[in-house]
């Protein structure tokens, strides 16, 4: 039986958060997803190599990321899945869960409300609002669309901790202002425009078009690299063929269905968040 030690002195997740880089936070969320899969499959212990392969990172980076949580695992044995999962949830502020209110009952908004993955990860959508009289009053995934004119009252009643904006560009700033006035301090926006908010409010933006543009760039760059069959050997006049990419270590059997080696690129995962403004690409 392994023992996973807590951070020295019983340091809480909140005390550690200020020291964790934004890129590490993004990877911690990925590790948490993998750990949840392992727990669902009844896996009690996982090695750093197995967890790293499943998360798409190298084991050295994983161990460095987890070092921000304090001592974890047992050398030569691995990590206790349940305890590491609980530790990451604490640091990410997920231990108590989050209540989410969404403004904008269009196609994207309805799809997000109907997505069951949020509930499994600790995010419960408790309300959806819109300004369209043809939409207000309609049922969406067990909720009834409320009039955005009631936003202040809805926030007071539902007590959400996070708000999601899925309205058109020209309405996004007004919705953001109303959410801030209602006391929301954490806002996720799918509107392509930048939003202005007080320094005490954290606003993050998801721009799907920018993400696809980044994929387009990576596709072109990879295609150009694939057309270079040979590279000059550094420090000599010889020409050496390109070496094949080493195969990753085999993953835990419970993860083999999701660990096919591939490269993912996220320009937002390595950038710092900004107070009072959106995280721009």
């Amino acid at each position: 039986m392994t023992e996973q030690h807590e951070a020295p002195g019983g340091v809480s997740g909140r005390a550690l958060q200020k020291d964790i880089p934004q890129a590490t936070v993004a990877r911690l969320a990925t590790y948490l997803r993998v750990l949840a899969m392992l727990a669902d499959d009844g896996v009690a212990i996982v090695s750093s190599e197995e967890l790293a392969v499943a998360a798409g990172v190298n084991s050295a980076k994983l161990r460095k990321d987890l070092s921000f949580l304090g001592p974890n695992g047992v050398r030569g044995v691995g990590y206790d899945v349940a305890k590491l999962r609980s530790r990451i949830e604490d640091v990410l502020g997920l231990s108590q869960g989050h209540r989410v209110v969404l403004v904008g009952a269009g196609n994207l908004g309805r799809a997000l409300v109907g997505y069951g993955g949020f509930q499994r990860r600790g995010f419960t959508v408790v309300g959806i609002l819109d300004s369209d009289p043809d939409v207000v009053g309609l049922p969406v995934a067990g909720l009834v669309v409320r009039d955005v004119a009631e936003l202040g009252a809805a926030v007071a009643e539902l007590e959400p901790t996070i708000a999601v904006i899925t309205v058109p560009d020209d309405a996004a700033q007004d919705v953001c202002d109303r959410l801030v006035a209602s006391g929301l301090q954490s806002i996720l926006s799918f509107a392509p425009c930048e939003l202005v908010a007080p320094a005490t409010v954290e606003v993050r933006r998801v721009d799907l078009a920018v993400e696809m543009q980044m994929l387009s760039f990576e596709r072109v760059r990879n295609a150009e690299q694939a057309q270079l069959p040979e590279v000059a050997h550094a420090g000599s006049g010889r020409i050496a063929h390109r070496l094949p990419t080493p195969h990753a270590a085999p993953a835990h059997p419970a993860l083999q269905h999701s660990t096919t080696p591939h490269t993912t690129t996220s320009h937002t995962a390595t950038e710092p968040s900004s107070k009072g403004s959106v995280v721009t690409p």
Side-chain angles (χ1 to χ4, degrees):
M1 184 66 179
T2 65
E3 177 183 0
Q4 182 163 319
H5 302 285
E6 299 298 331
V11 179
S12 68
R14 286 181 292 276
L16 290 169
Q17 287 168 343
K18 65 180 183 299
D19 298 322
I20 303 179
Q22 187 73 18
T24 295
V25 173
R27 290 191 293 270
L28 287 176
T30 300
Y31 305 150
L32 184 59
R33 173 180 57 80
V34 174
L35 290 167
M37 291 170 52
L38 288 168
D40 290 343
D41 287 332
V43 178
I45 302 295
V46 63
S47 70
S48 59
E49 290 76 13
E50 290 168 341
L51 185 54
V53 169
V57 302
N58 62 60
S59 57
K61 179 173 290 185
L62 178 137
R63 286 191 291 269
K64 181 177 180 180
D65 289 339
L66 296 185
S67 70
F68 286 99
L69 312 184
N72 291 282
V74 175
R75 183 179 296 276
V77 178
Y79 298 101
D80 183 304
V81 170
K83 291 184 178 180
L84 181 57
R85 180 183 181 184
S86 177
R87 185 67 176 148
I88 295 177
E89 286 177 341
D90 183 37
V91 170
L92 295 182
L94 301 175
S95 301
Q96 304 301 317
H98 286 279
R99 297 168 63 83
V100 180
V101 64
L102 186 143
V103 183
N107 292 333
L108 177 58
R110 292 197 299 272
L112 291 174
V113 171
Y115 175 56
F118 293 138
Q119 180 77 39
R120 292 192 297 272
R121 299 188 188 185
F123 299 91
T124 303
V125 180
V126 295
I128 179 170
L129 303 95
D130 200 280
S131 61
D132 187 346
D134 294 331
V135 174
V136 173
L138 295 180
V140 176
L143 299 172
V144 176
V145 179
R146 302 173 63 157
D147 194 326
V148 74
E150 306 172 2
L151 180 59
V155 169
E157 173 192 337
L158 301 172
E159 298 182 340
T161 52
I162 294 176
V164 179
I165 298 176
T166 58
V167 300
D169 194 353
D170 57 359
Q173 184 62 58
D174 179 62
V175 170
C176 179
D177 293 341
R178 293 194 190 191
L179 290 168
V180 172
S182 299
L184 267 299
Q185 295 183 312
S186 300
I187 299 174
L188 176 66
S189 174
F190 283 84
C193 63
E194 294 191 10
L195 300 178
V196 178
T200 55
V201 177
E202 183 75 22
V203 180
R204 294 188 66 86
R205 187 181 72 185
V206 177
D207 192 326
L208 298 179
V210 168
E211 297 294 340
M212 288 189 285
Q213 288 166 354
M214 294 298 295
L215 285 173
S216 174
F217 169 78
E218 294 295 338
R219 181 177 181 275
V220 172
R221 182 167 66 177
N222 291 339
E224 291 175 346
Q225 291 176 345
Q227 294 174 1
L228 301 175
E230 297 180 337
V231 295
H233 182 73
S236 73
R238 295 178 296 169
I239 299 296
H241 290 284
R242 298 174 64 192
L243 296 176
T245 302
H247 293 291
H252 193 284
L255 298 172
Q256 287 180 354
H257 62 281
S258 64
T259 57
T260 303
H262 65 284
T263 300
T264 60
T265 302
S266 173
H267 63 285
T268 57
T270 57
E271 296 176 354
S273 62
S274 57
K275 295 287 185 181
S277 64
V278 296
V279 176
T280 54

